[in-house]
């Protein structure tokens, strides 16, 4: 299994470390040809406007849209914004996931927080459910899911923080900054 991590801005190194811990081969993706032969792609957290502008400069937007038609892609935080069809302002988006997002929905950097989430998809039916400790850093909220997307997890107040559409995943939070490998394992199961 070979998983690419978009490596033009943001915390791609942490995703690569997590994937290698799980035994996946990894590729840093900076150009369209780096997508060749990959089973899936992760788009890291960072700054979605910067990732978008650089993706345009490197000719990546259309190749990423094509890749997502047949392959697994997971966007964390800025990556989730980049996957969305609508971020309610004008910035380059891949725009392949049926979600609308609100950027910086919790406020500024100092308003970053952690929370325990219930994520049924991560818990095998045979085991008691264990909460997922999620880290939110100037995070977006997934305002709505429509079309083919569905909700994977919400905060206790009902706001959506993870969504799935077939092999596409979007999370407001950062599993790559924890020691819990379950979300990366879940993504590998989608890419397989
Ligand atoms: N606030 C950033 C954005 O809007 C996302 C932050 C993050 O990826 N941790 O792109």
């Amino acid at each position: 299994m070979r998983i690419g991590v978009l490596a033009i801005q943001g915390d791609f190194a942490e995703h690569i470390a997590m994937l290698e811990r799980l035994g996946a081969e990894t590729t840093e993706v900076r150009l369209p040809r780096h997508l060749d032969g990959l089973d899936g792609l992760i788009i890291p957290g960072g700054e979605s406007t910067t990732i978008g502008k650089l993706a345009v400069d490197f000719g990546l937007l259309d190749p990423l849209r094509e890749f997502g038609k047949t392959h697994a892609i997971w966007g964390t935080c800025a990556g989730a914004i980049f996957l969305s069809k609508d971020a309610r302002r004008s910035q380059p988006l891949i725009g392949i996931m049926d979600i609308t997002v609100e950027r910086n929905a919790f406020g500024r950097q100092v308003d970053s927080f952690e929370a325990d989430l219930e994520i049924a998809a991560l818990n095998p039916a045979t085991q008691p459910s264990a909460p997922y400790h999620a880290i939110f850093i100037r995070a977006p909220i997934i305002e709505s899911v429509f079309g083919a997307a569905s909700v994977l997890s919400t905060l206790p107040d009902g706001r959506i923080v993870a969504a799935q559409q077939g092999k596409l995943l979007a999370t407001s939070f950062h599993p790559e900054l924890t020691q819990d490998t379950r979300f990366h394992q879940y993504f590998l199961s989608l890419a397989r």
Side-chain angles (χ1 to χ4, degrees):
M1 174 101 64
R2 179 172 283 279
I3 303 295
V5 182
L6 191 67
I8 52 182
Q9 195 265 338
D11 73 335
F12 53 89
E14 286 77 3
H15 275 294
I16 288 173
M18 188 72 119
L19 290 166
E20 290 183 347
R21 239 174 97 186
L22 293 173
E25 291 182 60
T26 59
T27 298
E28 294 186 5
V29 173
R30 296 192 176 84
L31 295 170
R33 64 180 160 82
H34 298 155
L35 293 168
D36 294 347
L38 297 181
D39 300 300
L41 178 78
I42 293 179
I43 303 171
E47 194 55 46
S48 59
T49 45
T50 308
I51 292 174
K53 279 180 193 157
L54 292 171
V56 169
D57 289 349
F58 296 158
L60 274 163
L61 274 194
D62 281 333
L64 288 171
R65 291 180 181 128
E66 277 306 308
F67 186 86
K69 285 182 183 164
T70 47
H71 294 85
I73 303 184
W74 172 20
T76 55
C77 204
I81 297 165
F82 194 40
L83 276 176
S84 73
K85 285 207 171 142
D86 185 359
R88 297 221 274 113
R89 47 172 281 175
S90 174
Q91 66 182 77
L93 302 172
I94 309 178
I96 56 173
M97 218 175 150
D98 292 342
I99 56 175
T100 63
V101 299
E102 183 192 345
R103 294 180 57 197
N104 307 327
F106 301 98
R108 302 169 53 155
Q109 196 81 7
V110 291
D111 302 310
S112 297
F113 66 101
E114 305 186 12
D116 284 330
L117 303 177
E118 204 50 61
I119 308 181
L122 300 186
N123 296 308
T126 52
Q127 280 171 29
S129 77
Y132 187 88
H133 191 71
I135 299 175
F136 295 83
I137 303 171
R138 221 152 62 81
I141 272 294
I142 300 172
E143 268 181 331
S144 65
V145 304
F146 56 96
S150 56
V151 175
L152 216 51
S153 185
T154 64
L155 289 169
D157 65 9
R159 286 183 288 178
I160 305 166
V161 289
Q164 179 168 355
Q165 178 178 337
K167 293 183 176 198
L168 306 177
L169 276 181
T171 55
S172 299
F173 48 90
H174 288 271
E176 74 283 9
L177 299 181
T178 71
Q179 296 303 314
D180 191 335
T181 57
R182 281 179 294 165
F183 228 107
H184 286 77
Q185 268 165 334
Y186 183 61
F187 178 67
L188 291 179
S189 77
L190 297 179
R192 200 163 277 131

